[in-house]
mmCIF file of all heavy atoms in Angstrom:
data_model
loop_
_atom_site.group_PDB
_atom_site.id
_atom_site.type_symbol
_atom_site.label_atom_id
_atom_site.label_comp_id
_atom_site.label_asym_id
_atom_site.label_seq_id
_atom_site.Cartn_x
_atom_site.Cartn_y
_atom_site.Cartn_z
ATOM 1 N N ILE F 1 16.146 11.601 10.741
ATOM 2 C CA ILE F 1 15.306 10.462 11.182
ATOM 3 C C ILE F 1 13.822 10.829 11.107
ATOM 4 O O ILE F 1 12.995 10.024 10.664
ATOM 5 C CB ILE F 1 15.726 10.021 12.624
ATOM 6 C CG1 ILE F 1 17.113 9.397 12.593
ATOM 7 C CG2 ILE F 1 14.677 9.014 13.166
ATOM 8 C CD1 ILE F 1 17.631 9.013 13.932
ATOM 9 N N LEU F 2 13.476 12.079 11.507
ATOM 10 C CA LEU F 2 12.104 12.518 11.393
ATOM 11 C C LEU F 2 11.641 12.478 9.944
ATOM 12 O O LEU F 2 10.495 12.015 9.655
ATOM 13 C CB LEU F 2 11.949 13.930 11.932
ATOM 14 C CG LEU F 2 10.559 14.597 11.771
ATOM 15 C CD1 LEU F 2 9.508 13.820 12.512
ATOM 16 C CD2 LEU F 2 10.628 16.070 12.211
ATOM 17 N N SER F 3 12.502 12.898 9.024
ATOM 18 C CA SER F 3 12.135 12.898 7.606
ATOM 19 C C SER F 3 11.925 11.455 7.090
ATOM 20 O O SER F 3 11.040 11.225 6.256
ATOM 21 C CB SER F 3 13.197 13.585 6.781
ATOM 22 O OG SER F 3 14.379 12.799 6.641
ATOM 23 N N MET F 4 12.693 10.529 7.589
ATOM 24 C CA MET F 4 12.508 9.118 7.187
ATOM 25 C C MET F 4 11.124 8.596 7.604
ATOM 26 O O MET F 4 10.476 7.893 6.865
ATOM 27 C CB MET F 4 13.587 8.226 7.801
ATOM 28 C CG MET F 4 15.008 8.547 7.283
ATOM 29 S SD MET F 4 16.251 7.518 8.125
ATOM 30 C CE MET F 4 16.303 6.086 7.048
ATOM 31 N N VAL F 5 10.700 8.963 8.818
ATOM 32 C CA VAL F 5 9.429 8.513 9.325
ATOM 33 C C VAL F 5 8.272 9.070 8.502
ATOM 34 O O VAL F 5 7.352 8.384 8.076
ATOM 35 C CB VAL F 5 9.246 8.895 10.832
ATOM 36 C CG1 VAL F 5 7.825 8.586 11.309
ATOM 37 C CG2 VAL F 5 10.306 8.156 11.688
ATOM 38 N N VAL F 6 8.342 10.382 8.240
ATOM 39 C CA VAL F 6 7.268 11.070 7.494
ATOM 40 C C VAL F 6 7.208 10.589 6.042
ATOM 41 O O VAL F 6 6.137 10.266 5.489
ATOM 42 C CB VAL F 6 7.363 12.588 7.585
ATOM 43 C CG1 VAL F 6 6.298 13.278 6.775
ATOM 44 C CG2 VAL F 6 7.313 13.050 9.039
ATOM 45 N N THR F 7 8.389 10.547 5.390
ATOM 46 C CA THR F 7 8.437 10.139 4.001
ATOM 47 C C THR F 7 8.017 8.705 3.836
ATOM 48 O O THR F 7 7.284 8.353 2.931
ATOM 49 C CB THR F 7 9.879 10.318 3.458
ATOM 50 O OG1 THR F 7 10.267 11.658 3.635
ATOM 51 C CG2 THR F 7 9.916 9.990 1.962
ATOM 52 N N GLY F 8 8.439 7.843 4.781
ATOM 53 C CA GLY F 8 8.032 6.422 4.701
ATOM 54 C C GLY F 8 6.560 6.259 4.891
ATOM 55 O O GLY F 8 5.960 5.347 4.276
ATOM 56 N N SER F 9 5.920 7.106 5.693
ATOM 57 C CA SER F 9 4.463 7.017 5.875
ATOM 58 C C SER F 9 3.749 7.307 4.572
ATOM 59 O O SER F 9 2.793 6.626 4.216
ATOM 60 C CB SER F 9 4.015 7.999 6.964
ATOM 61 O OG SER F 9 4.616 7.714 8.211
ATOM 62 N N GLY F 10 4.199 8.359 3.865
ATOM 63 C CA GLY F 10 3.599 8.681 2.589
ATOM 64 C C GLY F 10 3.834 7.641 1.562
ATOM 65 O O GLY F 10 2.916 7.219 0.817
ATOM 66 N N ALA F 11 5.055 7.105 1.490
ATOM 67 C CA ALA F 11 5.380 6.063 0.519
ATOM 68 C C ALA F 11 4.541 4.818 0.751
ATOM 69 O O ALA F 11 4.066 4.168 -0.169
ATOM 70 C CB ALA F 11 6.871 5.721 0.596
ATOM 71 N N GLY F 12 4.294 4.483 2.025
ATOM 72 C CA GLY F 12 3.515 3.302 2.331
ATOM 73 C C GLY F 12 2.073 3.380 1.840
ATOM 74 O O GLY F 12 1.558 2.434 1.246
ATOM 75 N N GLY F 13 1.439 4.559 2.071
ATOM 76 C CA GLY F 13 0.066 4.698 1.582
ATOM 77 C C GLY F 13 -0.018 4.684 0.070
ATOM 78 O O GLY F 13 -1.015 4.232 -0.485
ATOM 79 N N PHE F 14 1.006 5.116 -0.596
ATOM 80 C CA PHE F 14 1.048 5.072 -2.058
ATOM 81 C C PHE F 14 1.258 3.692 -2.598
ATOM 82 O O PHE F 14 0.555 3.239 -3.513
ATOM 83 C CB PHE F 14 2.187 6.012 -2.546
ATOM 84 C CG PHE F 14 2.281 6.198 -3.991
ATOM 85 C CD1 PHE F 14 1.601 7.262 -4.608
ATOM 86 C CD2 PHE F 14 3.016 5.359 -4.784
ATOM 87 C CE1 PHE F 14 1.687 7.449 -5.975
ATOM 88 C CE2 PHE F 14 3.109 5.566 -6.125
ATOM 89 C CZ PHE F 14 2.424 6.585 -6.746
ATOM 90 N N LYS F 15 2.247 2.958 -2.034
ATOM 91 C CA LYS F 15 2.660 1.711 -2.574
ATOM 92 C C LYS F 15 1.513 0.665 -2.620
ATOM 93 O O LYS F 15 1.399 -0.104 -3.560
ATOM 94 C CB LYS F 15 3.836 1.134 -1.769
ATOM 95 C CG LYS F 15 5.143 1.822 -2.050
ATOM 96 C CD LYS F 15 6.220 1.288 -1.093
ATOM 97 C CE LYS F 15 7.545 1.969 -1.330
ATOM 98 N NZ LYS F 15 8.162 1.651 -2.641
ATOM 99 N N SER F 16 0.708 0.581 -1.571
ATOM 100 C CA SER F 16 -0.324 -0.440 -1.503
ATOM 101 C C SER F 16 -1.461 -0.175 -2.464
ATOM 102 O O SER F 16 -2.244 -1.101 -2.707
ATOM 103 C CB SER F 16 -0.859 -0.572 -0.068
ATOM 104 O OG SER F 16 -1.424 0.641 0.347
ATOM 105 N N ASN F 17 -1.570 1.035 -3.001
ATOM 106 C CA ASN F 17 -2.765 1.375 -3.785
ATOM 107 C C ASN F 17 -2.471 1.663 -5.247
ATOM 108 O O ASN F 17 -3.378 1.496 -6.085
ATOM 109 C CB ASN F 17 -3.422 2.596 -3.174
ATOM 110 C CG ASN F 17 -4.086 2.270 -1.836
ATOM 111 O OD1 ASN F 17 -5.000 1.503 -1.777
ATOM 112 N ND2 ASN F 17 -3.564 2.844 -0.769
ATOM 113 N N ILE F 18 -1.236 2.073 -5.595
ATOM 114 C CA ILE F 18 -0.991 2.479 -6.976
ATOM 115 C C ILE F 18 -1.064 1.312 -7.959
ATOM 116 O O ILE F 18 -1.643 1.383 -9.007
ATOM 117 C CB ILE F 18 0.318 3.270 -7.124
ATOM 118 C CG1 ILE F 18 0.490 3.848 -8.522
ATOM 119 C CG2 ILE F 18 1.516 2.453 -6.736
ATOM 120 C CD1 ILE F 18 -0.578 4.852 -8.905
ATOM 121 N N SER F 19 -0.400 0.194 -7.619
ATOM 122 C CA SER F 19 -0.363 -0.909 -8.583
ATOM 123 C C SER F 19 -1.740 -1.567 -8.775
ATOM 124 O O SER F 19 -2.100 -1.927 -9.888
ATOM 125 C CB SER F 19 0.704 -1.946 -8.161
ATOM 126 O OG SER F 19 0.500 -2.441 -6.889
ATOM 127 N N PRO F 20 -2.577 -1.766 -7.685
ATOM 128 C CA PRO F 20 -3.913 -2.273 -7.948
ATOM 129 C C PRO F 20 -4.749 -1.334 -8.818
ATOM 130 O O PRO F 20 -5.538 -1.750 -9.650
ATOM 131 C CB PRO F 20 -4.511 -2.459 -6.524
ATOM 132 C CG PRO F 20 -3.353 -2.599 -5.657
ATOM 133 C CD PRO F 20 -2.280 -1.725 -6.250
ATOM 134 N N LEU F 21 -4.574 -0.017 -8.594
ATOM 135 C CA LEU F 21 -5.317 0.957 -9.373
ATOM 136 C C LEU F 21 -4.947 0.878 -10.828
ATOM 137 O O LEU F 21 -5.794 1.000 -11.739
ATOM 138 C CB LEU F 21 -5.096 2.360 -8.841
ATOM 139 C CG LEU F 21 -5.963 3.456 -9.439
ATOM 140 C CD1 LEU F 21 -7.416 3.185 -9.226
ATOM 141 C CD2 LEU F 21 -5.584 4.795 -8.846
ATOM 142 N N ILE F 22 -3.676 0.695 -11.126
ATOM 143 C CA ILE F 22 -3.204 0.559 -12.511
ATOM 144 C C ILE F 22 -3.808 -0.693 -13.135
ATOM 145 O O ILE F 22 -4.414 -0.672 -14.219
ATOM 146 C CB ILE F 22 -1.694 0.505 -12.588
ATOM 147 C CG1 ILE F 22 -1.090 1.890 -12.287
ATOM 148 C CG2 ILE F 22 -1.200 0.030 -13.968
ATOM 149 C CD1 ILE F 22 0.419 1.910 -12.187
ATOM 150 N N ALA F 23 -3.636 -1.807 -12.444
ATOM 151 C CA ALA F 23 -4.057 -3.103 -13.051
ATOM 152 C C ALA F 23 -5.557 -3.199 -13.219
ATOM 153 O O ALA F 23 -6.033 -3.843 -14.171
ATOM 154 C CB ALA F 23 -3.526 -4.275 -12.224
ATOM 155 N N GLU F 24 -6.339 -2.581 -12.360
ATOM 156 C CA GLU F 24 -7.781 -2.731 -12.438
ATOM 157 C C GLU F 24 -8.379 -1.863 -13.570
ATOM 158 O O GLU F 24 -9.612 -1.903 -13.823
ATOM 159 C CB GLU F 24 -8.485 -2.465 -11.142
ATOM 160 C CG GLU F 24 -8.540 -1.046 -10.675
ATOM 161 C CD GLU F 24 -9.255 -0.914 -9.335
ATOM 162 O OE1 GLU F 24 -9.718 -1.967 -8.817
ATOM 163 O OE2 GLU F 24 -9.360 0.215 -8.863
ATOM 164 N N GLN F 25 -7.569 -1.089 -14.281
ATOM 165 C CA GLN F 25 -8.075 -0.408 -15.484
ATOM 166 C C GLN F 25 -8.405 -1.436 -16.543
ATOM 167 O O GLN F 25 -9.197 -1.207 -17.476
ATOM 168 C CB GLN F 25 -7.041 0.601 -16.011
ATOM 169 C CG GLN F 25 -6.567 1.647 -14.991
ATOM 170 C CD GLN F 25 -7.734 2.397 -14.343
ATOM 171 O OE1 GLN F 25 -8.582 2.941 -15.004
ATOM 172 N NE2 GLN F 25 -7.762 2.311 -13.023
ATOM 173 N N TYR F 26 -7.820 -2.651 -16.418
ATOM 174 C CA TYR F 26 -8.147 -3.773 -17.307
ATOM 175 C C TYR F 26 -9.149 -4.661 -16.537
ATOM 176 O O TYR F 26 -8.794 -5.207 -15.511
ATOM 177 C CB TYR F 26 -6.866 -4.540 -17.652
ATOM 178 C CG TYR F 26 -7.106 -5.738 -18.554
ATOM 179 C CD1 TYR F 26 -7.338 -5.576 -19.904
ATOM 180 C CD2 TYR F 26 -7.063 -7.063 -18.036
ATOM 181 C CE1 TYR F 26 -7.554 -6.664 -20.726
ATOM 182 C CE2 TYR F 26 -7.274 -8.139 -18.843
ATOM 183 C CZ TYR F 26 -7.532 -7.952 -20.196
ATOM 184 O OH TYR F 26 -7.725 -9.026 -21.017
ATOM 185 N N ARG F 27 -10.378 -4.790 -17.038
ATOM 186 C CA ARG F 27 -11.453 -5.412 -16.301
ATOM 187 C C ARG F 27 -11.721 -6.871 -16.645
ATOM 188 O O ARG F 27 -12.553 -7.489 -16.027
ATOM 189 C CB ARG F 27 -12.748 -4.599 -16.470
ATOM 190 C CG ARG F 27 -12.698 -3.240 -15.718
ATOM 191 C CD ARG F 27 -12.538 -3.487 -14.241
ATOM 192 N NE ARG F 27 -12.473 -2.255 -13.446
ATOM 193 C CZ ARG F 27 -13.430 -1.750 -12.746
ATOM 194 N NH1 ARG F 27 -14.614 -2.366 -12.713
ATOM 195 N NH2 ARG F 27 -13.306 -0.655 -12.049
ATOM 196 N N ARG F 28 -11.045 -7.422 -17.626
ATOM 197 C CA ARG F 28 -11.266 -8.835 -17.961
ATOM 198 C C ARG F 28 -10.751 -9.697 -16.837
ATOM 199 O O ARG F 28 -9.661 -9.464 -16.287
ATOM 200 C CB ARG F 28 -10.536 -9.188 -19.261
ATOM 201 C CG ARG F 28 -11.103 -8.509 -20.472
ATOM 202 C CD ARG F 28 -12.308 -9.226 -21.034
ATOM 203 N NE ARG F 28 -12.659 -8.761 -22.344
ATOM 204 C CZ ARG F 28 -13.617 -9.314 -23.140
ATOM 205 N NH1 ARG F 28 -14.310 -10.343 -22.676
ATOM 206 N NH2 ARG F 28 -13.910 -8.824 -24.325
ATOM 207 N N THR F 29 -11.492 -10.780 -16.492
ATOM 208 C CA THR F 29 -11.068 -11.676 -15.438
ATOM 209 C C THR F 29 -11.038 -13.151 -15.880
ATOM 210 O O THR F 29 -10.425 -13.970 -15.170
ATOM 211 C CB THR F 29 -11.967 -11.567 -14.210
ATOM 212 O OG1 THR F 29 -13.325 -11.862 -14.603
ATOM 213 C CG2 THR F 29 -11.927 -10.147 -13.642
ATOM 214 N N LYS F 30 -11.646 -13.472 -17.008
ATOM 215 C CA LYS F 30 -11.709 -14.870 -17.427
ATOM 216 C C LYS F 30 -11.171 -15.034 -18.854
ATOM 217 O O LYS F 30 -11.093 -14.055 -19.634
ATOM 218 C CB LYS F 30 -13.174 -15.381 -17.398
ATOM 219 C CG LYS F 30 -13.752 -15.457 -16.003
ATOM 220 C CD LYS F 30 -15.152 -16.028 -16.042
ATOM 221 C CE LYS F 30 -15.745 -16.143 -14.655
ATOM 222 N NZ LYS F 30 -17.104 -16.731 -14.690
ATOM 223 N N LEU F 31 -10.823 -16.240 -19.224
ATOM 224 C CA LEU F 31 -10.367 -16.560 -20.554
ATOM 225 C C LEU F 31 -11.455 -16.212 -21.562
ATOM 226 O O LEU F 31 -12.650 -16.412 -21.312
ATOM 227 C CB LEU F 31 -10.019 -18.060 -20.678
ATOM 228 C CG LEU F 31 -8.888 -18.582 -19.811
ATOM 229 C CD1 LEU F 31 -8.873 -20.099 -19.820
ATOM 230 C CD2 LEU F 31 -7.551 -18.064 -20.263
ATOM 231 N N PHE F 32 -11.059 -15.651 -22.729
ATOM 232 C CA PHE F 32 -12.008 -15.390 -23.799
ATOM 233 C C PHE F 32 -11.339 -15.560 -25.118
ATOM 234 O O PHE F 32 -10.113 -15.569 -25.232
ATOM 235 C CB PHE F 32 -12.610 -13.979 -23.659
ATOM 236 C CG PHE F 32 -11.647 -12.860 -23.824
ATOM 237 C CD1 PHE F 32 -11.485 -12.236 -25.093
ATOM 238 C CD2 PHE F 32 -10.890 -12.399 -22.771
ATOM 239 C CE1 PHE F 32 -10.577 -11.177 -25.246
ATOM 240 C CE2 PHE F 32 -9.994 -11.364 -22.925
ATOM 241 C CZ PHE F 32 -9.841 -10.739 -24.160
ATOM 242 N N VAL F 33 -12.177 -15.758 -26.154
ATOM 243 C CA VAL F 33 -11.680 -15.986 -27.522
ATOM 244 C C VAL F 33 -11.731 -14.695 -28.318
ATOM 245 O O VAL F 33 -12.692 -13.942 -28.261
ATOM 246 C CB VAL F 33 -12.518 -17.046 -28.247
ATOM 247 C CG1 VAL F 33 -12.035 -17.236 -29.703
ATOM 248 C CG2 VAL F 33 -12.465 -18.367 -27.495
ATOM 249 N N LYS F 34 -10.633 -14.418 -29.014
ATOM 250 C CA LYS F 34 -10.528 -13.178 -29.797
ATOM 251 C C LYS F 34 -10.059 -13.511 -31.210
ATOM 252 O O LYS F 34 -9.248 -14.402 -31.408
ATOM 253 C CB LYS F 34 -9.516 -12.228 -29.141
ATOM 254 C CG LYS F 34 -9.262 -10.942 -29.884
ATOM 255 C CD LYS F 34 -8.212 -10.082 -29.179
ATOM 256 C CE LYS F 34 -7.901 -8.838 -29.934
ATOM 257 N NZ LYS F 34 -6.867 -7.985 -29.240
ATOM 258 N N THR F 35 -10.587 -12.804 -32.162
ATOM 259 C CA THR F 35 -10.213 -12.983 -33.557
ATOM 260 C C THR F 35 -9.174 -11.917 -33.929
ATOM 261 O O THR F 35 -9.444 -10.689 -33.783
ATOM 262 C CB THR F 35 -11.386 -12.885 -34.548
ATOM 263 O OG1 THR F 35 -12.367 -13.886 -34.159
ATOM 264 C CG2 THR F 35 -10.929 -13.135 -35.968
ATOM 265 N N THR F 36 -7.988 -12.301 -34.380
ATOM 266 C CA THR F 36 -6.932 -11.364 -34.706
ATOM 267 C C THR F 36 -7.171 -10.723 -36.083
ATOM 268 O O THR F 36 -8.086 -11.133 -36.821
ATOM 269 C CB THR F 36 -5.560 -12.049 -34.726
ATOM 270 O OG1 THR F 36 -5.518 -13.009 -35.796
ATOM 271 C CG2 THR F 36 -5.327 -12.810 -33.419
ATOM 272 N N LYS F 37 -6.365 -9.740 -36.440
ATOM 273 C CA LYS F 37 -6.506 -9.070 -37.729
ATOM 274 C C LYS F 37 -6.280 -10.027 -38.876
ATOM 275 O O LYS F 37 -6.741 -9.787 -39.998
ATOM 276 C CB LYS F 37 -5.539 -7.879 -37.809
ATOM 277 C CG LYS F 37 -5.861 -6.758 -36.837
ATOM 278 C CD LYS F 37 -4.870 -5.627 -36.950
ATOM 279 C CE LYS F 37 -5.206 -4.491 -36.005
ATOM 280 N NZ LYS F 37 -4.271 -3.353 -36.091
ATOM 281 N N ARG F 38 -5.499 -11.103 -38.618
ATOM 282 C CA ARG F 38 -5.239 -12.095 -39.675
ATOM 283 C C ARG F 38 -6.328 -13.171 -39.721
ATOM 284 O O ARG F 38 -6.204 -14.124 -40.478
ATOM 285 C CB ARG F 38 -3.901 -12.755 -39.442
ATOM 286 C CG ARG F 38 -2.712 -11.758 -39.609
ATOM 287 C CD ARG F 38 -1.376 -12.448 -39.490
ATOM 288 N NE ARG F 38 -1.170 -12.986 -38.139
ATOM 289 C CZ ARG F 38 -0.053 -13.615 -37.761
ATOM 290 N NH1 ARG F 38 0.886 -13.857 -38.644
ATOM 291 N NH2 ARG F 38 0.087 -14.053 -36.506
ATOM 292 N N GLY F 39 -7.375 -13.015 -38.932
ATOM 293 C CA GLY F 39 -8.449 -13.953 -38.948
ATOM 294 C C GLY F 39 -8.258 -15.173 -38.070
ATOM 295 O O GLY F 39 -9.115 -16.077 -38.056
ATOM 296 N N GLU F 40 -7.215 -15.185 -37.263
ATOM 297 C CA GLU F 40 -6.990 -16.284 -36.364
ATOM 298 C C GLU F 40 -7.807 -16.116 -35.098
ATOM 299 O O GLU F 40 -7.936 -15.025 -34.572
ATOM 300 C CB GLU F 40 -5.495 -16.389 -35.975
ATOM 301 C CG GLU F 40 -4.573 -16.674 -37.140
ATOM 302 C CD GLU F 40 -3.111 -16.642 -36.720
ATOM 303 O OE1 GLU F 40 -2.734 -15.778 -35.916
ATOM 304 O OE2 GLU F 40 -2.378 -17.549 -37.187
ATOM 305 N N ARG F 41 -8.380 -17.219 -34.602
ATOM 306 C CA ARG F 41 -9.080 -17.223 -33.348
ATOM 307 C C ARG F 41 -8.116 -17.698 -32.249
ATOM 308 O O ARG F 41 -7.591 -18.799 -32.318
ATOM 309 C CB ARG F 41 -10.326 -18.121 -33.384
ATOM 310 C CG ARG F 41 -11.434 -17.526 -34.231
ATOM 311 C CD ARG F 41 -12.538 -18.506 -34.462
ATOM 312 N NE ARG F 41 -13.167 -19.007 -33.253
ATOM 313 C CZ ARG F 41 -14.069 -18.340 -32.542
ATOM 314 N NH1 ARG F 41 -14.498 -17.152 -32.964
ATOM 315 N NH2 ARG F 41 -14.612 -18.843 -31.429
ATOM 316 N N VAL F 42 -7.887 -16.823 -31.256
ATOM 317 C CA VAL F 42 -6.934 -17.161 -30.193
ATOM 318 C C VAL F 42 -7.600 -16.984 -28.841
ATOM 319 O O VAL F 42 -8.587 -16.262 -28.677
ATOM 320 C CB VAL F 42 -5.689 -16.222 -30.274
ATOM 321 C CG1 VAL F 42 -4.930 -16.407 -31.563
ATOM 322 C CG2 VAL F 42 -6.086 -14.756 -30.099
ATOM 323 N N ILE F 43 -7.068 -17.714 -27.862
ATOM 324 C CA ILE F 43 -7.557 -17.597 -26.502
ATOM 325 C C ILE F 43 -6.704 -16.577 -25.774
ATOM 326 O O ILE F 43 -5.466 -16.643 -25.767
ATOM 327 C CB ILE F 43 -7.482 -18.956 -25.745
ATOM 328 C CG1 ILE F 43 -8.394 -19.986 -26.455
ATOM 329 C CG2 ILE F 43 -7.870 -18.809 -24.306
ATOM 330 C CD1 ILE F 43 -8.288 -21.366 -25.890
#
């Protein structure tokens, strides 16, 4: 039971921060237009 409490504490601090840290490596926030290698303009 002690191990559950300690391990859960560590897991909790990890869980709330790892996924936002991953996703914020991508910094775009708004729609933008991009030209593909085939010359197509896409949103």
Side-chain angles (χ1 to χ4, degrees):
I1 291 177
L2 175 63
S3 74
M4 295 177 91
V5 172
V6 178
T7 305
S9 300
F14 185 91
K15 285 175 180 293
S16 59
N17 291 295
I18 187 63
S19 57
L21 187 60
I22 288 174
E24 73 179 359
Q25 304 309 304
Y26 180 75
R27 287 300 178 103
R28 294 276 194 175
T29 59
K30 294 184 180 180
L31 297 169
F32 64 96
V33 177
K34 177 182 177 180
T35 302
T36 67
K37 293 180 179 179
R38 294 185 294 180
E40 297 177 319
R41 287 171 59 82
V42 297
I43 297 175

